[in-house]
């Protein structure tokens, strides 16, 4: 089973052809050159693959690949907590 | 002090151009468009203009423009809604709608204005607009100015588009926007499928056929003819300044929409009408296409394939577009401008696309070989391409 990190990197690669390795500390704009349209596509693909509605307020705070991974991990743990109760 | 600060914001960064030793933009043209043009006193092979059919200097076209000036003068000096709308304007709109396969059409002074004006007139924040990632700046700017929710889909990816359509149902209207031929990549949209998806999900397709009109279809009528679509229920826009060798932009669609736009599209209502000579030129070109398209089309495609083959043989990395546009993947901005300089030094004029016209590091050198390319010129271009790659 793929980790969240692997899934996020796969989504970024599906939106934009990037020939070099993608790591969590990379900046979405400065290292991966994603623009606002690319970001919307990343969000749409995440929403579709993770069945999770991204709050557009959160998008403003997302600067790196790791930010996306952490946001999804946090959402996942919330869901688990919710399921436990 | 404040004013000084204001003007200090507008310092142009020419670093890349200086590093490359070449500025590929704003060269002064000193001749008409043949297969060669004179730029700053030197003769260049023209692989830069969008003169697909090679008819920008056609004698019939020139005569029609001159006759219109004799009749109407240079301009009617008014917006179309006031006294700027001639019988010629009405007749050309009618001919454009018949030619493109739309119910009615309007002609704007440019396609950029047509695209900007369209979205602000038809969409608002209650709507969602799904747009191909590679769509032209005029479409994106128009969409942004409408305030509608924008959701890009991967270039020509129908599965992705359908995924977005499935989750867009809560909006007042869904629009799906694409170019027919993508101007930097030369790819052709799967517009038949887009149109079918729109019918399935009750969305309105909008296609910008600027690089398809006069090029695609058995008779050059553009994307609707090319896709075999009759009774089109969507909206159509196109530049009249590329294969149609004039200036202006058209919007075509259902009669009720076009009538409404005549009064409520501010980009039309508040712009001085396109000049009569340009309208006469468009009318003449439609006649030229009707009479000469099979031969022009054959020559255009033959020239495209010759240039493409020469570039591939020389080892250039090309985009996979099937339209009569050939694009080289040229790298970052500096590499792109350096490559454009190599063509320039070999007296070939091309178009260089660098960021922000294209994404970072995805620079393109675009070459368009028109139907007017003579054998001798093509041979010189082929030889020069070999020298550029290996020199």
């Amino acid at each position: 089973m793929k980790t969240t990190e692997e899934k996020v990197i796969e989504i970024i690669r599906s939106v934009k052809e990037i020939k070099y390795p993608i790591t969590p500390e990379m900046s979405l704009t400065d290292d991966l050159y994603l623009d606002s349209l690319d970001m919307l596509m990343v969000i749409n693909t995440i929403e579709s693959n993770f069945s999770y509605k991204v709050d557009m307020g959160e998008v403003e705070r997302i600067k790196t690949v790791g930010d996306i991974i952490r946001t999804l991990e946090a959402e996942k743990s919330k869901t688990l907590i919710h399921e436990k109760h | 002090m404040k004013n000084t600060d204001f003007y200090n914001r507008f310092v142009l960064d020419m670093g890349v151009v200086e590093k490359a030793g070449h500025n590929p933009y704003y060269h002064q043209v000193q001749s008409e468009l043949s297969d060669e043009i004179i730029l700053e006193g030197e003769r260049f092979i023209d692989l830069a203009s969008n003169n697909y059919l090679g008819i920008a200097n056609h004698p019939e076209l020139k005569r029609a423009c001159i006759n219109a000036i004799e009749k109407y003068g240079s301009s009617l000096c008014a917006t179309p809604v006031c006294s700027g709308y001639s019988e010629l304007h009405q007749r050309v709109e009618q001919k454009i709608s018949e030619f493109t396969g739309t119910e009615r059409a309007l002609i704007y002074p440019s396609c950029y204005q047509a695209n900007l004006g369209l979205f602000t007139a038809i969409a608002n924040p209650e709507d969602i607009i799904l747009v191909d990632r590679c769509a032209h700046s005029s479409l994106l700017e128009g969409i942004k100015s409408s305030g509608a929710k924008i959701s890009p889909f991967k270039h020509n990816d129908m599965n992705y588009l359908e995924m977005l359509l499935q989750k867009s149902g809560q909006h007042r209207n869904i629009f799906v926007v694409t170019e027919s031929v993508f101007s930097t990549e030369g790819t052709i949209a799967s517009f038949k499928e887009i149109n079918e998806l729109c019918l399935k999900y009750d969305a309105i397709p909008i296609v910008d056929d600027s690089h398809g009109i006069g090029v695609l279809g058995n008779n050059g009528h553009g994307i609707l003819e090319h896709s075999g679509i009759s009774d089109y229920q969507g909206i159509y826009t196109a530049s009249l300044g590329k294969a149609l060798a004039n200036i202006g932009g058209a919007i075509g669609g259902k009669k009720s929409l076009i009538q409404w736009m005549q009064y409520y599209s501010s980009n039309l209502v508040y712009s001085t009408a396109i000049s009569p000579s340009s309208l006469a030129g468009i009318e003449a070109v439609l006649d030229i296409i009707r009479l000469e398209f099979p031969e022009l089309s054959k020559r255009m495609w033959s020239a495209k394939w010759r240039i493409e083959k020469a570039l591939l043989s020389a080892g250039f990395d090309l985009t996979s577009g099937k339209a009569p546009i050939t694009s080289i993947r040229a790298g970052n901005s500096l590499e792109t401008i350096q490559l454009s300089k190599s063509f320039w030094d070999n007296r070939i004029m091309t178009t260089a696309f660098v960021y922000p016209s294209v994404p970072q590091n995805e620079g393109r050198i675009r070459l368009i070989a028109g139907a007017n390319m003579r054998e001798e010129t093509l041979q010189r271009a082929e030889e020069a391409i070999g020298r550029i790659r290996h020199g």
Side-chain angles (χ1 to χ4, degrees):
Chain A
M1 190 166 156
K2 284 180 185 161
T3 64
T4 307
E5 179 178 325
E6 287 168 335
K7 282 183 191 167
V8 167
I9 290 172
E10 197 174 283
I11 286 170
I12 292 170
R13 284 195 191 284
S14 77
V15 164
K16 196 174 177 86
E17 192 183 328
I18 295 168
K19 290 175 180 158
Y20 44 87
I22 300 176
T23 54
E25 69 281 3
M26 279 182 161
S27 159
L28 297 167
T29 50
D30 297 340
D31 298 321
L32 303 180
Y33 302 108
L34 298 188
D35 63 16
S36 57
L37 293 181
D38 295 324
M39 274 305 291
L40 284 170
M41 284 199 293
V42 168
I43 290 163
N44 272 322
T45 315
I46 285 172
E47 287 185 346
S48 167
N49 288 13
F50 285 80
S51 307
Y52 158 58
K53 182 87 185 142
V54 178
D55 170 9
M56 292 311 280
E58 278 175 72
V59 175
E60 293 293 310
R61 293 191 295 275
I62 291 174
K63 306 287 181 211
T64 65
V65 177
D67 291 342
I68 303 178
I69 297 164
R70 280 186 289 280
T71 306
L72 288 170
E73 290 290 356
E75 187 60 30
K76 227 159 110 183
S77 64
K78 264 193 247 169
T79 314
L80 286 173
I81 290 162
H82 179 72
E83 281 170 4
K84 276 178 195 167
H85 292 283
Chain B
M1 185 60 187
K2 265 190 166 174
N3 283 1
T4 314
D5 286 347
F6 171 73
Y7 288 111
N8 283 343
R9 281 164 40 199
F10 302 102
V11 178
L12 197 58
D13 179 5
M14 299 295 275
V16 175
V17 161
E18 280 161 16
K19 220 169 177 178
H22 177 64
N23 184 346
Y25 308 112
Y26 287 105
H27 289 293
Q28 291 172 29
V29 178
Q30 296 161 316
S31 66
E32 65 177 15
L33 279 183
S34 177
D35 59 347
E36 293 184 306
I37 42 172
I38 298 171
L39 296 166
E40 294 161 12
E42 300 266 3
R43 196 171 281 277
F44 283 75
I45 297 171
D46 174 29
L47 295 180
S49 74
N50 302 298
N51 190 18
Y52 290 101
L53 299 177
I55 54 175
N57 63 346
H58 195 291
E60 293 298 326
L61 167 56
K62 288 181 178 176
R63 196 166 303 120
C65 295
I66 292 165
N67 288 345
I69 289 177
E70 295 285 358
K71 180 172 178 179
Y72 295 99
S74 62
S75 168
L76 293 182
C77 303
T79 64
V81 75
C82 294
S83 57
Y85 191 69
S86 59
E87 56 175 343
L88 173 63
H89 199 138
Q90 192 279 330
R91 193 167 69 237
V92 176
E93 285 179 343
Q94 172 75 29
K95 287 187 176 181
I96 285 287
S97 74
E98 287 166 6
F99 184 81
T100 56
T102 55
E103 223 172 84
R104 265 190 78 170
L106 284 178
I107 296 179
Y108 286 64
S110 77
C111 192
Y112 203 102
Q113 284 200 45
N115 284 344
L116 276 183
L118 174 67
F119 293 100
T120 46
I122 64 169
N124 73 23
E126 292 175 76
D127 302 313
I128 185 164
I129 302 179
L130 315 182
V131 56
D132 189 289
R133 174 67 189 85
C134 294
H136 191 260
S137 159
S138 59
L139 295 166
L140 297 173
E141 291 302 319
I143 292 167
K144 284 179 196 166
S145 63
S146 74
K149 181 174 160 58
I150 175 169
S151 204
F153 58 93
K154 286 183 213 168
H155 180 49
N156 249 343
D157 186 330
M158 295 303 108
N159 292 330
Y160 198 95
L161 173 59
E162 184 157 21
M163 181 270 284
L164 293 181
L165 283 164
Q166 282 165 349
K167 56 181 211 176
S168 300
Q170 76 277 22
H171 294 274
R172 183 185 64 169
N173 283 123
I174 311 168
F175 298 95
V176 177
V177 178
T178 184
E179 284 182 73
S180 58
V181 174
F182 290 84
S183 55
T184 52
E185 302 298 292
T187 42
I188 301 176
S190 311
F191 193 63
K192 192 175 178 60
E193 287 170 82
I194 291 176
N195 192 51
E196 281 164 7
L197 282 172
C198 286
L199 290 170
K200 182 175 172 186
Y201 290 94
D202 201 19
I204 298 160
I206 300 177
V207 63
D208 178 334
D209 198 24
S210 291
H211 289 268
I213 189 170
V215 172
L216 298 179
N218 289 337
N219 300 290
H221 291 195
I223 189 67
L224 300 182
E225 183 187 37
H226 171 79
S227 310
I229 297 171
S230 53
D231 191 27
Y232 179 54
Q233 300 297 306
I235 300 170
Y236 175 97
T237 72
S239 166
L240 308 172
K242 302 187 191 301
L244 266 53
N246 278 278
I247 192 170
I251 294 182
K254 305 294 281 182
K255 188 177 164 187
S256 60
L257 171 77
I258 298 302
Q259 279 177 334
W260 192 85
M261 296 281 291
Q262 270 190 312
Y263 290 91
Y264 287 99
S265 172
S266 50
N267 294 56
L268 178 76
V269 171
Y270 299 113
S271 291
T272 297
I274 183 175
S275 68
S277 59
S278 296
L279 288 163
I282 295 161
E283 188 173 39
V285 162
L286 295 180
D287 280 339
I288 293 166
I289 291 175
R290 182 170 51 81
L291 297 171
E292 301 181 25
F293 185 74
E295 181 58 25
L296 291 172
S297 172
K298 194 172 142 198
R299 280 169 26 205
M300 172 186 71
W301 286 107
S302 165
K304 182 249 169 21
W305 292 324
R306 290 271 298 269
I307 295 295
E308 185 179 87
K309 194 173 164 200
L311 290 165
L312 286 171
S313 302
F316 282 104
D317 180 14
L318 305 185
T319 60
S320 56
K322 295 281 176 261
I325 287 173
T326 308
S327 270
I328 303 171
R329 290 194 179 93
N332 63 30
S333 296
L334 179 60
E335 290 163 337
T336 304
I337 294 178
Q338 282 171 333
L339 182 55
S340 102
K341 181 178 186 303
S342 301
F343 278 96
W344 174 268
D345 290 343
N346 280 277
R347 297 295 176 265
I348 295 179
M349 186 58 181
T350 60
T351 307
F353 291 93
V354 297
Y355 178 80
S357 294
V358 288
Q360 286 270 24
N361 296 327
E362 293 180 31
R364 299 282 185 264
I365 295 292
R366 184 179 74 187
L367 304 96
I368 296 174
N372 55 347
M373 295 288 285
R374 291 168 295 173
E375 176 58 30
E376 176 266 330
T377 313
L378 273 170
Q379 281 178 18
R380 270 196 295 127
E382 288 166 337
E383 286 161 17
I385 286 166
R387 280 198 304 276
I388 291 163
R389 189 58 176 171
H390 303 294

